[in-house]
C-alpha cells in the first residue's frame, strides 16, 4: 500500500501543459444558456493528475466548496487562468444567446 507522500507525489505532477499547481486559482465559465445562467466561479486547484493515461485536475469553488473535475482540454474553453479572459468569454456567450427563450418553467411565490 502507498503511503501518503507517495500518493501525493503521484497527484502533484507538475509536468502538465499549463503549469497549473495545487492551490492555484482558475476561473470556470459556467454557462447554461437554456436556463439563463451565466456565472464565473473562482476555483482553487485541489488535485492534479497528469500522465500518459490521464490528464485532469480538480478545482474546489472558493465560496461553497463544490468540487469540479476538468480535463486539460477545457483550459481556454470553459476554464481560464485569467479572470478577465473568462469574463470576455461569458459576455460573448450571453450576447450569442440574448433574446432566446430561457425556459418554460414558471416561478411561483410561496404563501
Amino acid at each position: 500500500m502507498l503511503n501518503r507522500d507517495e500518493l501525493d507525489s503521484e497527484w502533484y505532477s507538475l509536468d502538465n501543459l499549463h503549469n497549473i499547481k495545487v492551490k492555484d486559482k482558475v476561473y470556470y465559465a459556467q454557462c447554461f444558456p437554456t436556463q439563463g445562467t451565466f456565472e464565473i466561479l473562482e476555483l482553487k486547484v485541489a488535485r492534479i493528475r497528469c500522465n500518459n493515461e490521464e490528464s485532469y485536475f480538480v478545482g474546489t469553488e472558493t465560496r461553497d466548496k463544490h468540487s469540479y473535475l476538468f480535463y486539460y482540454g477545457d483550459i481556454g474553453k470553459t476554464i481560464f487562468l485569467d479572470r478577465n479572459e473568462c469574463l470576455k468569454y461569458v459576455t460573448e456567450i450571453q450576447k450569442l444567446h440574448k433574446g432566446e427563450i430561457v425556459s418554460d418553467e414558471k416561478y411561483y411565490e410561496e404563501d
Side-chain angles (χ1 to χ4, degrees):
M1 182 166 193
L2 295 173
N3 66 32
R4 181 71 181 169
D5 293 333
E6 290 171 333
L7 182 62
D8 285 345
S9 66
E10 182 180 335
W11 277 92
Y12 294 156
S13 173
L14 298 178
D15 296 331
N16 59 59
L17 300 172
H18 299 281
N19 200 23
I20 295 175
K21 298 177 188 74
V22 173
K23 297 185 181 179
D24 280 357
K25 287 184 183 178
V26 295
Y27 301 93
Y28 172 34
Q30 189 178 48
C31 299
F32 299 108
T34 57
Q35 298 175 1
T37 303
F38 302 93
E39 298 179 323
I40 296 174
L41 302 179
E42 183 179 284
L43 306 176
K44 188 175 181 182
V45 177
R47 296 268 191 220
I48 295 174
R49 177 70 169 202
C50 187
N51 61 29
N52 293 337
E53 298 171 7
E54 304 169 315
S55 295
Y56 59 85
F57 61 96
V58 176
T60 303
E61 212 273 323
T62 55
R63 288 181 297 160
D64 61 10
K65 307 300 183 208
H66 281 102
S67 294
Y68 300 90
L69 177 70
F70 297 101
Y71 293 98
Y72 282 96
D74 296 332
I75 296 175
K77 296 177 184 174
T78 57
I79 293 291
F80 298 88
L81 305 178
D82 180 47
R83 190 177 193 288
N84 290 329
E85 288 179 35
C86 189
L87 182 60
K88 286 179 190 176
Y89 175 78
V90 170
T91 53
E92 286 297 317
I93 295 296
Q94 280 180 312
K95 287 177 189 176
L96 286 173
H97 296 282
K98 187 176 183 179
E100 292 181 10
I101 297 174
V102 174
S103 175
D104 293 339
E105 293 181 25
K106 295 185 188 241
Y107 296 97
Y108 300 97
E109 293 183 18
E110 292 183 26
D111 293 327

